[in-house]
Amino acid sequence: VRYLALDEDAARAALGAAGFPAAWVERLVGFYRLVRAGYAAPVSDAVPRILGRPATPLTAWLAGHHQAFVPPQGT
């Protein structure tokens, strides 16, 4: 999994080319704008409070689930 920063016009074009309806494209671009502005930056303590253990880092989760991201043989 790799993050690729796109400007809003490039994101609109890519989402539209992927078949997303125009209204969804604008919602996703608007969400992306909020993320870039830092509104998603705060980290909550909800996971360890609810589960009683630390959250699993993304890199560890990906390492344990990498097969889910590998295309089936022959495709």
Side-chain angles (χ1 to χ4, degrees):
V1 175
R2 182 173 46 111
Y3 173 76
L4 177 63
L6 297 175
D7 65 44
E8 289 187 9
D9 289 335
R12 280 186 186 90
L15 291 166
F20 283 85
W24 286 27
V25 168
E26 290 309 312
R27 284 188 194 108
L28 289 168
V29 169
F31 175 71
Y32 179 56
R33 192 178 301 128
L34 293 172
V35 170
R36 283 184 320 202
Y39 288 101
V43 176
S44 168
D45 68 344
V47 169
R49 265 190 309 107
I50 293 168
L51 297 180
R53 63 168 175 78
T56 302
L58 179 60
T59 53
W61 185 88
L62 288 170
H65 295 84
H66 69 280
Q67 283 302 117
F69 300 96
V70 176
Q73 294 293 332
T75 59

